[in-house]
Amino acid sequence: MTAAITIITDALAELGVIGAGETPAAADAAFCLRKLNQALQRLSNSRLMFPSLRRVDITMTGAATYATDLVHVDHATAFDAGGFSHPVDVLTRQKWDDISLANATGGPPSCILVDSTSPDVTVYVYPRSSGYTLRLHCQTLLSSFASVSSELTLPEGYESALTLMLSDDVSPSFGKTTSPDTRRRLAAALAGIRTVNAEPIYLETGMEGQA
């Protein structure tokens, strides 16, 4: 487990804002916590920064929508009772709105819309289908730190990368300039994570439909 204050302290020491063994001021720690969570949000938008993806299997019940906490669906496939697969398109809002018979039913789903309007994420399905399993390959939000004392379990290499990211992000606010060495190590840390995550690990999740 890694505490937010550990990353914050190391990042400020990297910049030379504090010395070895010193503790950040409360106001500085709170500011850095916001910046740290913003860094985690940025990582949430990059597939290759995820150590694992979710493979979500939705039991099709004839529902029009399914609630989830997905961020981005890479691709989708429907499976019938015999195990045969059927491709499912992931549409943009504009293409979804062009569908003329939105309440159509029957057959395997041919397309979906992932509406990520905060705070809920909804998967819309066309046509409404039952007797199929909709498999979504997707990413979810990385957890954020609730406070400077909060702890998270981070995959190998992430603590170092986040420390260097935070140091670079807050450097202007502390009147500092990120050193070339810090930027070189940050680029190497992020590249290493992307290389490891190029072949994702899938976590299985099951869901059922709404109305």
Side-chain angles (χ1 to χ4, degrees), residues 1-5 7-8 32-44 50 71 140-155 158 162:
M1 300 285 282
T2 301
I5 191 61
I7 297 174
I8 291 169
C32 288
L33 177 66
R34 293 194 300 273
K35 290 295 186 178
L36 176 57
N37 284 331
Q38 289 170 12
L40 285 166
Q41 290 170 5
R42 293 202 306 275
L43 295 183
S44 289
F50 278 75
V71 172
T140 57
L141 287 171
L142 290 172
S143 298
S144 60
F145 290 96
S147 68
V148 295
S149 60
S150 296
E151 296 182 335
L152 292 177
T153 299
L154 298 173
Y158 279 67
L162 285 169

Side-chain angles (χ1 to χ4, degrees), residues 17 27 32 49 71 90 100 106 112-113 116 118 123 138 142 145 155 176 178 181:
V17 174
C32 288
M49 298 311 298
V71 172
V90 182
S100 58
I112 61 172
L113 169 70
S116 57
S118 181
V123 178
C138 50
L142 290 172
F145 290 96
K176 301 289 186 177
T178 304
D181 178 65

